[in-house]
Amino acid sequence: MSAVTTLHSRTDTDVAGRLALSARHTDQGRDMNTADFPAWLEGRRRAHRFRVDRIPFAELNGWYFESATGNLVHQSGRFFSVEGLRVSVDTGPVCDWQQPIIKQPEVGILGILAKEFDGVLHFLMQAKMEPGNPNLLQLSPTVQATRSNYTKVHKGADVKYLSHFIRPEQGRAVADVLQSEHGSWFYRKSNRNMVVETAGEVPVDPDYCWLTLGQIGELLRRDHVVNMDARTALACMPTQDGTPKALQSDVDLLSWFTSERARHEVSVARIPLDEVADWTRGEHAIERADGRYFRVVAVEVEAGNREVPGWTQPLFEPTGTGVTAFVARRICGIPHLLVHARVEGGFLDTVELGPTVQATPDNWTRLPKHRQPRFLDLVQGAGPDRIRYDALHSEEGGRFLNAVSRYLVVEADESQAPLDPPPGYRWVTPSQLSSLTRHGHYVNVQARTLLAALNSGAADL
């Protein structure tokens, strides 16, 4: 007797509607009122001992500089390494440079577990310590682990809730896509961004809580609460398309994006860290003489709620606060965002779509105004009446120390941001951009942070 063949719908409009319903529940979730969250997070902070101290490179345990290359590597051959990168691009104020870069070929898991309570989707979020976070403890995905972590190279404890993402067929995949991390600091790094819904019973560890999407949106309005790994996974979930019309069609948008990838000439080569020009290695840091961009430092970490209670590691430390912003306009009454096709040395495929502005202003002060990032003045000079979203968020705290950007959505008019933008820029609707997050390496991690704010209701257009 032959098996019965079942055909499934190619799109799941039901999930998008349920997510929209969850986004409307901003005040109350299964585990707590949103107003009670700060006290809960502070309670988790007090429940564990956390400490991060800067140390000289010589005190790194298990890390060493290779004699032949100067690369900073781990004795296990796993985790990540700090190497050199030489980049040449065909556009921009700086077309050739060299820099340290993080090489981490492992694909990590950034997974959020979802479950419905009383007809509303909730998400199991973790209070997780990362050594580079300004306030150490932030709201993280259910699982946030590299392959070295969850295969226990560090000989630590098991990663909680990992089975839901190693075998997602046991649940229902809401989102599952490989996405990039910071192309300026990582060499071709990818993580598996996942949201998996379960119908089974889930025991809740004390460091975890169930929150609605609307509650997470409220927390995204606050500085340094929701970490980068949670933001990127949330951005990959499907959204309702309440505005089916846009300034350009989806086909035209993809054609433009493809042409941007094809027209740029980018040459990238890994080189020994010892050969990186204009950078020097001291006892405590690898840095430039002019103090710009970032430095590589070392830390010793104590964390009571991690799989390993203590370790040492290198971190990248930026030298200024970044500005990351979408310029927004209503075009025929429909909200649009101005995206920028960005070239970054660490990208897997030349170009990804980023925010309108993504820069650290202090790094550009030496250049004349006409060579500084486009729209930076517009964003920095925006009055409160034009700012639709404004929060400080830290970047990946497991690799970057005090890497903070001011994330904004700024509304503009025709005189400030015309319908015919400069080369490399295009107007898209939030739903168009969200649809592209279903593809890997289309939308960069900074744009995904802002999409998470928009899709959860934290930013209002």
Side-chain angles (χ1 to χ4, degrees), residues 47-61:
H48 305 284
R49 179 175 172 82
F50 301 122
R51 182 173 177 176
V52 178
D53 296 316
R54 294 173 186 262
I55 59 173
F57 291 126
E59 294 182 14
L60 283 169
N61 181 23

Side-chain angles (χ1 to χ4, degrees), residues 239 243 335-337 428-435 451 454-455 461:
T239 59
T243 55
H336 283 68
L337 307 169
V428 304
T429 66
S431 60
Q432 282 182 307
L433 195 59
S434 289
S435 70
L451 267 182
L454 286 161
N455 295 342
L461 292 178

Side-chain angles (χ1 to χ4, degrees), residues 30-97:
R30 174 187 180 271
D31 286 350
M32 70 184 76
N33 295 324
T34 310
D36 296 332
F37 177 84
W40 178 83
L41 188 64
E42 181 57 31
R44 302 325 304 157
R45 194 188 314 277
R46 291 195 305 267
H48 305 284
R49 179 175 172 82
F50 301 122
R51 182 173 177 176
V52 178
D53 296 316
R54 294 173 186 262
I55 59 173
F57 291 126
E59 294 182 14
L60 283 169
N61 181 23
W63 297 84
Y64 67 97
F65 291 99
E66 290 182 326
S67 58
T69 64
N71 293 346
L72 182 53
V73 300
H74 193 264
Q75 64 185 12
S76 68
R78 302 289 295 275
F79 298 109
F80 64 95
S81 59
V82 180
E83 305 182 1
L85 198 72
R86 181 174 60 239
V87 184
S88 297
V89 298
D90 59 344
T91 58
V94 180
C95 293
D96 299 277
W97 72 90

Side-chain angles (χ1 to χ4, degrees), residues 234-396:
L234 291 167
C236 296
M237 296 192 299
T239 59
Q240 285 184 314
D241 192 353
T243 55
K245 292 190 175 181
L247 185 62
Q248 60 179 337
S249 70
D250 292 355
V251 171
D252 288 341
L253 173 60
L254 286 170
S255 177
W256 168 78
F257 179 53
T258 302
S259 70
E260 287 294 311
R261 281 188 161 173
R263 77 177 178 88
H264 286 289
E265 295 183 6
V266 181
S267 173
V268 177
R270 290 161 51 202
I271 61 175
L273 186 58
D274 274 350
E275 296 181 10
V276 175
D278 302 322
W279 293 74
T280 58
R281 187 176 93 201
E283 182 182 356
H284 289 85
I286 302 169
E287 57 191 339
R288 290 173 56 99
D290 59 15
R292 293 207 311 271
Y293 305 121
F294 64 92
R295 61 181 69 90
V296 184
V297 299
V299 296
E300 183 177 24
V301 184
E302 182 179 351
N305 69 341
R306 292 289 298 264
E307 293 83 13
V308 174
W311 68 92
T312 65
Q313 69 169 96
L315 292 170
F316 277 30
E317 182 181 27
T319 58
T321 299
V323 173
T324 304
F326 271 129
V327 171
R329 278 191 61 184
R330 283 189 171 269
I331 301 172
C332 298
I334 296 174
H336 283 68
L337 307 169
L338 188 59
V339 297
H340 180 203
R342 289 186 55 84
V343 177
E344 296 183 16
F347 282 158
L348 180 65
D349 197 357
T350 311
V351 164
E352 294 189 17
L353 296 181
T356 320
V357 175
Q358 181 185 315
T360 301
D362 290 349
N363 291 335
W364 297 90
T365 54
R366 65 186 179 91
L367 295 177
K369 284 289 185 183
H370 71 277
R371 296 184 63 194
Q372 294 186 15
R374 291 181 185 270
F375 303 104
L376 179 59
D377 284 348
L378 167 62
V379 168
Q380 290 188 301
D385 59 319
R386 290 190 176 272
I387 295 177
R388 301 292 173 258
Y389 180 73
D390 188 357
L392 292 174
H393 291 304
S394 49
E395 306 304 331
E396 216 287 307

